[in-house]
Amino acid sequence: MSADDSAGSNLVSVDFEIFGHVQGVCFRMYTEKEGLRLGLVGWVKNTYKGTVVGQVQGPADMVEEMKVWLSKEGSPTSRITRASFTNQRSIDKLELSGFKTRF
C-alpha cells in the first residue's frame, strides 16, 4: 500500500455474508489469509444459520479483488452458492486494524 493509499484516498468499507457450504471448511482462516495478502483489514465469523459474515476495509481496488475472491473462490473445499455485499461506503481512514476471526 503506497503512502497515497493510506492517506485516506479511495478507502472503502463493505460488509459481507457468504452462503453455501462455508463452515467446517477453513473458510474463515483462508479469508483472513487472503485479506492480509491483499493488505486489507477486517473480520470474519461463522453465524448460527450456517453462513459466514464479516467486514473488509482498505483501498477500493483491493476490496473489489477480495469481493471476487469471497464470491468465487473461498477456501479449497468450500462451495459458495451466493455472496451478499452490503453497506459499501467510502471511509476517510481505516476503522479496524489487522484481520481477525471473531467468535
Side-chain angles (χ1 to χ4, degrees), residues 21-34 44-46 52 69-70 73-79 101:
H21 183 62
V22 292
Q23 289 191 7
V25 291
C26 299
F27 197 92
R28 292 172 300 168
M29 180 184 75
Y30 277 89
T31 299
E32 205 173 302
K33 281 185 179 178
E34 185 66 8
V44 59
K45 73 180 253 180
N46 284 343
V52 171
W69 185 89
L70 285 166
E73 195 168 333
S75 64
T77 54
S78 64
R79 287 192 312 279
T101 295

Side-chain angles (χ1 to χ4, degrees), residues 2-59:
S2 74
D4 290 339
D5 290 335
S6 60
S9 61
N10 220 14
L11 293 175
V12 297
S13 175
V14 68
D15 299 339
F16 63 85
E17 184 167 15
I18 312 301
F19 300 80
H21 183 62
V22 292
Q23 289 191 7
V25 291
C26 299
F27 197 92
R28 292 172 300 168
M29 180 184 75
Y30 277 89
T31 299
E32 205 173 302
K33 281 185 179 178
E34 185 66 8
L36 291 171
R37 186 185 75 77
L38 293 172
L40 301 172
V41 299
W43 58 270
V44 59
K45 73 180 253 180
N46 284 343
T47 68
Y48 289 112
K49 62 182 182 178
T51 64
V52 171
V53 296
Q55 185 179 66
V56 178
Q57 296 183 348

